[in-house]
Structures are given as structure tokens and as C-alpha cells.
Amino acid sequence: MFRNIVLPFTAVLCCVSCRLNAAESDTLERMYPNISIFRKDVIQSANDKANTKSVRYLGPQQLFFTVSVFNPAGKDIAEGAASPELKRAFAQAVETRKLLHGELKAGKTETLSLSCLAGRKLTGLYTILTYTDNNLPYHICIFMAGYRGNLLKVEFAPSVPLKQDPQDRLFRAILEEAKANFYTGEKTNVPQNIKNTLARAVRALEENPLETGSIAAQAIRKFTDDSSDVFVMIRESDMPWLPRLMNGTPEEKKYLNLLLASFMGGNALAQLEQNICRDMRNAGLASMRKTYAKIKEADRTFLLKELEKDAGQ
């Protein structure tokens, strides 16, 4: 990914005066390291008493967007587009941009709702602001919502001129992908028959990955991809062999799919058993090690040094 940032970090923060709701102190830490073509930068806090936290995602050609969590009210902020605290903070965000850019044209403010994890919805306000620099139009997309007692703001303000409609579509696509980061840790209530089905699939993959487990892997991947009740994060640091297998032989790519499915299945199953939507990487890694050991029994030529010790080889 490319990085070329022009706007100062503090330019995208609203002025606030109190601490974050403790229940949402680690939203940004849990966000994906990559969202589409954007790469996660370091998390920073504003130099004020609010302990405002923000993270930027850096993309190509001076593109980036920022996610911030803050609380200007000093109390739990209600969710929904009708929240007066949300309306005030949204208006302040627009005023802040006017101070930075001078004459600014504000588009229509609309209510935007995102279907998130564990059946939750994130509903807030969205607008596009336009200013002119050197006779070129620049657009700023702002989405803000009440979120777990705080305010969440996602802002897309490229420092290169883009056409408004493509920028609007790109921003909405960013929100659609980013929404998988929100509401982790929520309680869930998945029917027992679904839990039992997933448990059987995970066992089949761990015990016989090259036969019945191969079919089970497809079902596990589909469930994990489609379900809003589980949150699984793939980290290359947990799987340093991932790039090598992705570019490996057809057989290695097959084993890669089995190992990833096993990680996802063990991770998701632990979440369902505990009725909580939260990445449980240790359970996923434990399942993956079992699957690796069985693959290795069937194919002694397959070797991942990073998993040898864990698999007890």
C-alpha cells in the first residue's frame, strides 16, 4: 500500500471535553489491519481531556480515511439519528471543516444505517462537503453515529480532487467493509442446532481433513463469511507461512484452504459456545494445529516449520 498524507491528523477531530465510555475503549485496536485497499496506520489520541482516539487507513495516491471515537457529552450518548448529541457533534464537524477550508458547500444530510455484527445496526448522519482549491473541487464525506455510549465518526477527505459520485460510492463501500469491526464483544443467541452442525464440521476437518473434512471446510468458510454472529480476524503474524502457500503448488493451496477453514471454524465455534461475538484466535489456532497434524500424517512431504512444534512432530 502507498502512503502519502497531506492533511494534519488533528484536522479531522472534533473538540470534545470528556473521557470515552470505558465499554468502547478498544474499538480501534480491534479493527482489521486492512480494509479494502487501505492499510491501518497507528492509533492516536488527541491532546485534550477527552482522550479522543482515532486511526487512519492509508490508501494509494493520497487517499485515506479516518475513524474516530469520542464523547462530547460527558454521558452515555443515545444511538440513532435523532440523538441531540449526535446532531450537535455532526454540526460541529461541519463547522470545523468550514474553519479549515473557508467557503464550503454542504450537500444534503441523510440518515444512513449499517447492519453490523450480532444483529446490531449503526444508524447515523451522512453528508458530502465540497470546497474549491485552485479551481478544483474537493469532497469530504462524513458519517457520524451514536455508538456504545460514544460517538463514532468515519471521514473520507482525499487530498486529491475526485469526482463526487465515484468518491461517494467508494466511501459507502468503505463503510460496508468497515462495519464488520463494530460491535465485537456483543452477546449472541445462535440456535443450538446451528452450533451442533458447526461443531460436527470442525471435528470432521480436524480428524479427517483430506476426505470428509474437505467438504466440511467449504461449509465452515461459508458460515463464517455469512454469519454476523461471529468475528474472525486473519493475522499474517499467526500464519507466517500464508504467502508461501498462496503462491505454492496446487496441493499446497489445497492444504492452505483446509488450514484456514480450520482456524476459522475453531475460532467461530468457540464464540458460539460462549455466546459472544469476539475474535477467539487461540481456539482457531488450536483447531488449525490439529488439522495440520492430520494432513502431515497423510502427506509427509508437507512441512510447515512454524507448526511443527505445535503439532508435536
Side-chain angles (χ1 to χ4, degrees):
M1 298 294 176
F2 300 98
R3 101 181 247 174
N4 191 347
I5 303 305
V6 175
L7 291 180
F9 190 81
T10 54
V12 294
L13 302 179
C14 291
C15 294
V16 287
S17 59
C18 60
R19 294 188 64 80
L20 294 179
N21 184 321
E24 199 45 39
S25 62
D26 64 348
T27 296
L28 304 184
E29 285 82 355
R30 291 179 178 274
M31 289 190 75
Y32 288 143
N34 288 84
I35 292 179
S36 187
I37 60 174
F38 296 85
R39 177 179 58 79
K40 187 177 181 181
D41 199 11
V42 296
I43 297 169
Q44 296 193 24
S45 297
N47 294 320
D48 56 36
K49 297 179 181 179
N51 193 28
T52 303
K53 298 175 70 174
S54 294
V55 62
R56 279 194 300 195
Y57 277 81
L58 314 177
Q61 300 181 17
Q62 303 182 38
L63 297 181
F64 69 94
F65 69 93
T66 307
V67 184
S68 303
V69 180
F70 59 100
N71 190 321
K75 61 182 181 180
D76 278 357
I77 295 172
E79 297 189 9
S83 164
E85 292 86 2
L86 169 62
K87 291 180 178 179
R88 283 194 291 270
F90 190 80
Q92 178 62 50
V94 174
E95 287 301 313
T96 299
R97 278 297 179 177
K98 286 182 178 179
L99 291 174
L100 288 169
H101 303 294
E103 192 171 329
L104 194 71
K105 178 183 177 182
K108 179 182 177 181
T109 298
E110 65 175 279
T111 298
L112 188 60
S113 187
L114 305 173
S115 297
C116 300
L117 295 171
R120 299 293 302 269
K121 282 190 176 295
L122 185 66
T123 302
L125 302 176
Y126 172 56
T127 193
I128 300 180
L129 313 176
T130 302
Y131 67 95
T132 301
D133 188 11
N134 290 326
N135 295 319
L136 294 174
Y138 292 76
H139 309 291
I140 304 166
C141 303
I142 300 177
F143 172 71
M144 190 180 297
Y147 172 70
R148 285 180 162 175
N150 298 304
L151 287 170
L152 175 81
K153 181 172 72 168
V154 186
E155 189 171 65
F156 185 35
S159 52
V160 292
L162 301 177
K163 292 184 178 180
Q164 181 170 321
D165 287 346
Q167 181 172 330
D168 175 54
R169 291 195 297 271
L170 176 58
F171 185 63
R172 291 173 188 269
I174 288 170
L175 290 176
E176 279 298 313
E177 189 166 346
K179 71 183 184 181
N181 296 274
F182 307 133
Y183 294 109
T184 61
E186 289 289 301
K187 288 289 185 180
T188 57
N189 186 24
V190 177
Q192 189 60 47
N193 66 311
I194 294 179
K195 296 180 183 180
N196 293 342
T197 299
L198 184 62
R200 288 194 295 270
V202 171
R203 282 198 302 272
L205 184 52
E206 291 175 349
E207 294 171 2
N208 197 352
L210 300 184
E211 294 184 18
T212 56
S214 183
I215 298 174
Q218 299 176 38
I220 290 170
R221 292 289 294 267
K222 179 170 176 52
F223 172 81
T224 309
D225 289 342
D226 294 347
S227 175
S228 67
D229 291 309
V230 296
F231 176 74
V232 176
M233 183 179 289
I234 303 295
R235 300 176 180 85
E236 192 172 314
S237 59
D238 288 330
M239 307 171 192
W241 37 264
L242 194 62
R244 187 169 75 252
L245 293 195
M246 288 178 65
N247 296 304
T249 65
E251 200 70 9
E252 287 175 329
K253 292 178 181 177
K254 172 186 174 182
Y255 296 157
L256 168 62
N257 288 330
L258 295 174
L259 292 172
L260 284 177
S262 187
F263 174 82
M264 295 168 71
N267 191 326
L269 182 59
Q271 295 177 53
L272 297 190
E273 290 174 339
Q274 298 181 39
N275 296 315
I276 189 166
C277 182
R278 177 182 294 148
D279 185 43
M280 297 190 180
R281 57 185 290 273
N282 289 336
L285 291 171
S287 178
M288 185 177 67
R289 292 176 192 124
K290 293 178 182 178
T291 299
Y292 171 73
K294 289 296 183 179
I295 293 174
K296 184 72 183 297
E297 285 182 8
D299 183 357
R300 287 289 175 180
T301 66
F302 181 58
L303 177 66
L304 296 177
K305 294 181 180 179
E306 299 89 345
L307 292 180
E308 283 299 294
K309 181 178 179 181
D310 294 329
Q313 300 298 313

